[in-house]
PDB file of all heavy atoms in Angstrom:
ATOM      1  N   GLY W 535     -41.612   3.305  -5.389  1.00  0.00           N
ATOM      2  CA  GLY W 535     -41.662   2.695  -4.028  1.00  0.00           C
ATOM      3  C   GLY W 535     -40.433   2.763  -3.164  1.00  0.00           C
ATOM      4  O   GLY W 535     -40.317   2.230  -2.073  1.00  0.00           O
ATOM      5  N   ALA W 536     -39.339   3.474  -3.737  1.00  0.00           N
ATOM      6  CA  ALA W 536     -38.096   3.544  -2.956  1.00  0.00           C
ATOM      7  C   ALA W 536     -38.354   4.271  -1.648  1.00  0.00           C
ATOM      8  O   ALA W 536     -37.782   3.963  -0.586  1.00  0.00           O
ATOM      9  CB  ALA W 536     -37.071   4.337  -3.795  1.00  0.00           C
ATOM     10  N   SER W 537     -39.286   5.265  -1.639  1.00  0.00           N
ATOM     11  CA  SER W 537     -39.514   6.026  -0.423  1.00  0.00           C
ATOM     12  C   SER W 537     -40.142   5.209   0.689  1.00  0.00           C
ATOM     13  O   SER W 537     -40.129   5.505   1.855  1.00  0.00           O
ATOM     14  CB  SER W 537     -40.407   7.235  -0.734  1.00  0.00           C
ATOM     15  OG  SER W 537     -41.606   6.792  -1.243  1.00  0.00           O
ATOM     16  N   LYS W 538     -40.695   4.025   0.329  1.00  0.00           N
ATOM     17  CA  LYS W 538     -41.257   3.129   1.291  1.00  0.00           C
ATOM     18  C   LYS W 538     -40.281   2.555   2.208  1.00  0.00           C
ATOM     19  O   LYS W 538     -40.573   1.880   3.240  1.00  0.00           O
ATOM     20  CB  LYS W 538     -42.044   1.967   0.556  1.00  0.00           C
ATOM     21  CG  LYS W 538     -43.355   2.443  -0.047  1.00  0.00           C
ATOM     22  CD  LYS W 538     -44.249   1.165  -0.286  1.00  0.00           C
ATOM     23  CE  LYS W 538     -45.358   1.595  -1.258  1.00  0.00           C
ATOM     24  NZ  LYS W 538     -45.371   0.766  -2.443  1.00  0.00           N
ATOM     25  N   CYS W 539     -39.040   2.653   1.773  1.00  0.00           N
ATOM     26  CA  CYS W 539     -37.946   2.084   2.651  1.00  0.00           C
ATOM     27  C   CYS W 539     -37.845   2.834   3.954  1.00  0.00           C
ATOM     28  O   CYS W 539     -37.188   2.319   4.914  1.00  0.00           O
ATOM     29  CB  CYS W 539     -36.622   2.140   1.867  1.00  0.00           C
ATOM     30  SG  CYS W 539     -36.482   1.081   0.505  1.00  0.00           S
ATOM     31  N   GLY W 540     -38.345   4.028   3.983  1.00  0.00           N
ATOM     32  CA  GLY W 540     -38.135   4.905   5.156  1.00  0.00           C
ATOM     33  C   GLY W 540     -36.987   5.852   4.941  1.00  0.00           C
ATOM     34  O   GLY W 540     -36.348   5.839   3.849  1.00  0.00           O
ATOM     35  N   ARG W 541     -36.695   6.681   5.911  1.00  0.00           N
ATOM     36  CA  ARG W 541     -35.735   7.768   5.725  1.00  0.00           C
ATOM     37  C   ARG W 541     -34.266   7.245   5.809  1.00  0.00           C
ATOM     38  O   ARG W 541     -33.939   6.487   6.794  1.00  0.00           O
ATOM     39  CB  ARG W 541     -35.972   8.781   6.772  1.00  0.00           C
ATOM     40  CG  ARG W 541     -34.920   9.894   6.760  1.00  0.00           C
ATOM     41  CD  ARG W 541     -35.442  11.140   7.379  1.00  0.00           C
ATOM     42  NE  ARG W 541     -36.366  11.829   6.500  1.00  0.00           N
ATOM     43  CZ  ARG W 541     -36.794  13.035   6.734  1.00  0.00           C
ATOM     44  NH1 ARG W 541     -36.306  13.726   7.745  1.00  0.00           N
ATOM     45  NH2 ARG W 541     -37.609  13.656   5.896  1.00  0.00           N
ATOM     46  N   ILE W 542     -33.450   7.624   4.848  1.00  0.00           N
ATOM     47  CA  ILE W 542     -32.035   7.278   4.947  1.00  0.00           C
ATOM     48  C   ILE W 542     -31.289   8.544   5.487  1.00  0.00           C
ATOM     49  O   ILE W 542     -31.422   9.611   4.909  1.00  0.00           O
ATOM     50  CB  ILE W 542     -31.491   6.887   3.553  1.00  0.00           C
ATOM     51  CG1 ILE W 542     -32.210   5.657   3.036  1.00  0.00           C
ATOM     52  CG2 ILE W 542     -29.929   6.710   3.646  1.00  0.00           C
ATOM     53  CD1 ILE W 542     -31.758   5.195   1.635  1.00  0.00           C
ATOM     54  N   VAL W 543     -30.684   8.370   6.631  1.00  0.00           N
ATOM     55  CA  VAL W 543     -29.973   9.552   7.192  1.00  0.00           C
ATOM     56  C   VAL W 543     -28.450   9.403   6.898  1.00  0.00           C
ATOM     57  O   VAL W 543     -27.900   8.329   7.133  1.00  0.00           O
ATOM     58  CB  VAL W 543     -30.201   9.613   8.679  1.00  0.00           C
ATOM     59  CG1 VAL W 543     -29.368  10.747   9.308  1.00  0.00           C
ATOM     60  CG2 VAL W 543     -31.610   9.826   9.017  1.00  0.00           C
ATOM     61  N   ILE W 544     -27.951  10.502   6.343  1.00  0.00           N
ATOM     62  CA  ILE W 544     -26.480  10.496   6.012  1.00  0.00           C
ATOM     63  C   ILE W 544     -25.847  11.447   7.015  1.00  0.00           C
ATOM     64  O   ILE W 544     -26.177  12.600   7.142  1.00  0.00           O
ATOM     65  CB  ILE W 544     -26.312  11.048   4.622  1.00  0.00           C
ATOM     66  CG1 ILE W 544     -26.964  10.143   3.567  1.00  0.00           C
ATOM     67  CG2 ILE W 544     -24.901  11.346   4.269  1.00  0.00           C
ATOM     68  CD1 ILE W 544     -26.985  10.720   2.166  1.00  0.00           C
ATOM     69  N   ALA W 545     -24.845  10.901   7.764  1.00  0.00           N
ATOM     70  CA  ALA W 545     -24.085  11.707   8.709  1.00  0.00           C
ATOM     71  C   ALA W 545     -22.970  12.314   8.001  1.00  0.00           C
ATOM     72  O   ALA W 545     -22.036  11.563   7.549  1.00  0.00           O
ATOM     73  CB  ALA W 545     -23.706  10.877   9.899  1.00  0.00           C
ATOM     74  N   GLY W 546     -22.928  13.583   7.722  1.00  0.00           N
ATOM     75  CA  GLY W 546     -21.805  14.270   7.066  1.00  0.00           C
ATOM     76  C   GLY W 546     -22.213  14.767   5.691  1.00  0.00           C
ATOM     77  O   GLY W 546     -22.730  14.014   4.866  1.00  0.00           O
ATOM     78  N   GLY W 547     -21.946  16.028   5.478  1.00  0.00           N
ATOM     79  CA  GLY W 547     -22.377  16.637   4.200  1.00  0.00           C
ATOM     80  C   GLY W 547     -21.153  17.133   3.439  1.00  0.00           C
ATOM     81  O   GLY W 547     -21.092  18.284   2.861  1.00  0.00           O
ATOM     82  N   GLY W 548     -20.001  16.320   3.523  1.00  0.00           N
ATOM     83  CA  GLY W 548     -18.831  16.636   2.728  1.00  0.00           C
ATOM     84  C   GLY W 548     -19.063  16.108   1.298  1.00  0.00           C
ATOM     85  O   GLY W 548     -20.183  15.955   0.864  1.00  0.00           O
ATOM     86  N   ILE W 549     -17.964  15.759   0.604  1.00  0.00           N
ATOM     87  CA  ILE W 549     -18.053  15.305  -0.766  1.00  0.00           C
ATOM     88  C   ILE W 549     -18.838  13.981  -0.837  1.00  0.00           C
ATOM     89  O   ILE W 549     -19.881  13.870  -1.584  1.00  0.00           O
ATOM     90  CB  ILE W 549     -16.638  15.032  -1.347  1.00  0.00           C
ATOM     91  CG1 ILE W 549     -15.793  16.232  -1.294  1.00  0.00           C
ATOM     92  CG2 ILE W 549     -16.812  14.445  -2.757  1.00  0.00           C
ATOM     93  CD1 ILE W 549     -16.317  17.393  -2.090  1.00  0.00           C
ATOM     94  N   GLY W 550     -18.533  13.017   0.055  1.00  0.00           N
ATOM     95  CA  GLY W 550     -19.229  11.728  -0.051  1.00  0.00           C
ATOM     96  C   GLY W 550     -20.734  11.833   0.411  1.00  0.00           C
ATOM     97  O   GLY W 550     -21.598  11.314  -0.245  1.00  0.00           O
ATOM     98  N   GLY W 551     -21.001  12.558   1.472  1.00  0.00           N
ATOM     99  CA  GLY W 551     -22.322  12.729   1.940  1.00  0.00           C
ATOM    100  C   GLY W 551     -23.234  13.384   0.936  1.00  0.00           C
ATOM    101  O   GLY W 551     -24.352  12.989   0.635  1.00  0.00           O
ATOM    102  N   ALA W 552     -22.697  14.524   0.350  1.00  0.00           N
ATOM    103  CA  ALA W 552     -23.546  15.276  -0.574  1.00  0.00           C
ATOM    104  C   ALA W 552     -23.726  14.398  -1.823  1.00  0.00           C
ATOM    105  O   ALA W 552     -24.822  14.383  -2.398  1.00  0.00           O
ATOM    106  CB  ALA W 552     -22.781  16.545  -0.981  1.00  0.00           C
ATOM    107  N   ALA W 553     -22.716  13.704  -2.286  1.00  0.00           N
ATOM    108  CA  ALA W 553     -22.888  12.805  -3.459  1.00  0.00           C
ATOM    109  C   ALA W 553     -23.872  11.693  -3.209  1.00  0.00           C
ATOM    110  O   ALA W 553     -24.712  11.410  -4.079  1.00  0.00           O
ATOM    111  CB  ALA W 553     -21.575  12.257  -3.892  1.00  0.00           C
ATOM    112  N   ALA W 554     -23.798  11.153  -1.991  1.00  0.00           N
ATOM    113  CA  ALA W 554     -24.775  10.071  -1.628  1.00  0.00           C
ATOM    114  C   ALA W 554     -26.210  10.599  -1.669  1.00  0.00           C
ATOM    115  O   ALA W 554     -27.084   9.950  -2.163  1.00  0.00           O
ATOM    116  CB  ALA W 554     -24.395   9.400  -0.340  1.00  0.00           C
ATOM    117  N   ALA W 555     -26.348  11.804  -1.160  1.00  0.00           N
ATOM    118  CA  ALA W 555     -27.683  12.394  -1.131  1.00  0.00           C
ATOM    119  C   ALA W 555     -28.272  12.582  -2.601  1.00  0.00           C
ATOM    120  O   ALA W 555     -29.348  12.282  -2.869  1.00  0.00           O
ATOM    121  CB  ALA W 555     -27.711  13.732  -0.416  1.00  0.00           C
TER     122      ALA W 555
END
Side-chain angles (χ1 to χ4, degrees):
S537 61
K538 287 200 195 120
C539 292
R541 172 159 288 192
I542 298 179
V543 175
I544 296 173
I549 302 297

